[in-house]
Structures are given as structure tokens and as C-alpha cells.
Amino acid sequence: MLYSIKGKVSFIDRRFIVVDAGGIGYEILVANPESFTIGEETFLYLHHQIKEDDEFLSGFRTQDEKEAFKLLLHVNGVGPKSALTILSNVRYDDLLVAISNNDIDFITNIPGIGPRAANQIILDLQGYIAKSNKENAKQYSEVKAALKALKFKVKDIDRVLPQIYIPNCTNEDIIKEALKRLHYAETLGQK
């Protein structure tokens, strides 16, 4: 199984890039091909998918992006290309909040996603997100206590924490993301 690749970008298409590594060119589907530059040295985490009539690689700059992609593949009717389209148009955190809040309008604003697909995304992923949140309840409780010790208001902490989903993370990872969001809210005067 392929896990990652490091090499030079040799070709860019509207849906994929080609990465030359060890004398072999790998065609890799990516969310935003225009964000790459020909000749650039790149490192990508890979998802290798084999179907009865097709085989392809999808590439991601971060582990979180890869986890988001894999989560979207759980949705009935969403394949790799649709998942990459979704990830190229919205931040993963924003998508999770929209799913948690049943925000069909947000999801239907993603190009190529109609009301039926939006409903399917919410239906298929809400349970998964709720399950993940329950599994992480102890971790979020510890993070909440740490943020309270830093003198943040409970209402602000409770507003920010449900928006954070970082697969396979530590308490420190969640605290860092929460601090960014809390400080950003302070900067905007929303606190």
C-alpha cells in the first residue's frame, strides 16, 4: 500500500498533477492542482484506491486533509473526484460545522452539490461525527478545563470546541486550534 510520495511536479492538469519520483511519473488526483508549480519539490500523503475497472491515487498536503477525504468517501454516492471537489471549495472544519448544524444551504453552495447530495452528506456523516465526538468527550473535557484555566469564558469555549475535529490528535493540538479561533474571535470583536 502506498502511503506518501516525495518528488517534483512535472505536469499539472485541472484535476490532477504528475509527480516524478525515482524515475517514475505518478498521476495523482488533488483538490487544488493550481496550487502546485511545475518543477516544485512536493510531499503528499496518498490514498490508493482500486476499483474493478479503475485504479488511482489521491494526494494530500496534510494528514487532516487525507482524513477529511476518507470521511467523505463514507457518503453514499460520493466518490474520490466528488470528495476532492468538496475539499477544494470549503475548509474541512466549516464542512463539519455545517453537517453538525444541518446547514443544507452551506453544503448546497459547494459547486456540484445539490439538495439531494447535501442531505445525503448530512445523513451519512452526522452519526459519524457524533460518534467521534463521544469518543473524544474525555479529551474535550480536559481541553475545556485547560482553556478555563487560561481565563477564557465557558460560553466562548463551548462555541469553539464543537467546531474542532482533528483526527488522531493530542490535547495540545486541540488547544492550539481552539486558541487560534478564540483569539481570532477576540480580534473581530465577537467575544
Side-chain angles (χ1 to χ4, degrees):
M1 184 62 71
L2 299 170
Y3 181 76
S4 65
I5 189 168
K6 183 178 181 182
K8 286 193 176 186
V9 177
S10 63
F11 181 78
I12 300 171
D13 189 72
R14 62 181 188 81
R15 287 198 158 245
F16 67 88
I17 62 172
V18 174
V19 176
D20 287 332
I24 300 172
Y26 295 88
E27 181 180 313
I28 304 169
L29 299 172
V30 292
N32 293 304
E34 68 280 354
S35 68
F36 293 86
T37 307
I38 291 180
E40 149 190 27
E41 182 80 20
T42 191
F43 175 87
L44 297 171
Y45 295 98
L46 297 174
H47 177 79
H48 186 198
Q49 187 152 357
I50 302 171
K51 293 185 172 184
E52 57 272 352
D53 61 345
D54 202 6
E55 178 177 357
F56 48 88
L57 294 170
S58 300
F60 312 94
R61 292 186 190 259
T62 67
Q63 282 281 24
D64 289 344
E65 188 181 5
K66 180 179 177 178
E67 290 302 319
F69 173 81
K70 288 167 58 176
L71 181 66
L72 286 166
L73 291 180
H74 286 94
V75 176
N76 188 21
V78 172
K81 291 176 184 171
S82 298
L84 287 170
T85 298
I86 292 168
L87 292 175
S88 68
N89 285 287
V90 297
R91 286 188 31 211
Y92 179 51
D93 292 344
D94 295 336
L95 180 63
L96 288 179
V97 171
I99 292 167
S100 297
N101 295 333
N102 267 345
D103 190 348
I104 290 184
D105 291 335
F106 177 86
I107 298 172
T108 55
N109 282 328
I110 300 169
I113 304 295
R116 185 186 305 181
N119 279 317
Q120 193 66 50
I121 289 169
I122 289 171
L123 177 70
D124 289 351
L125 295 184
Q126 248 184 356
Y128 182 84
I129 292 168
K131 180 181 174 208
S132 295
N133 287 341
K134 282 182 186 172
E135 290 171 357
N136 294 330
K138 180 178 184 240
Q139 190 175 29
Y140 280 92
S141 175
E142 292 168 358
V143 168
K144 183 175 180 175
L147 292 170
K148 281 174 34 179
L150 292 172
K151 307 294 184 206
F152 285 98
K153 295 177 184 173
V154 173
K155 70 177 179 116
D156 294 327
I157 296 168
D158 289 340
R159 177 181 46 78
V160 167
L161 278 183
Q163 298 175 9
I164 300 172
Y165 175 74
I166 307 170
N168 307 318
C169 64
T170 64
N171 287 1
E172 290 77 22
D173 295 329
I174 298 172
I175 290 170
K176 284 178 189 174
E177 183 61 27
L179 287 172
K180 283 183 208 170
R181 291 169 187 244
L182 289 164
H183 288 300
Y184 180 72
E186 276 182 346
T187 304
L188 291 177
Q190 295 176 354
K191 194 166 180 187

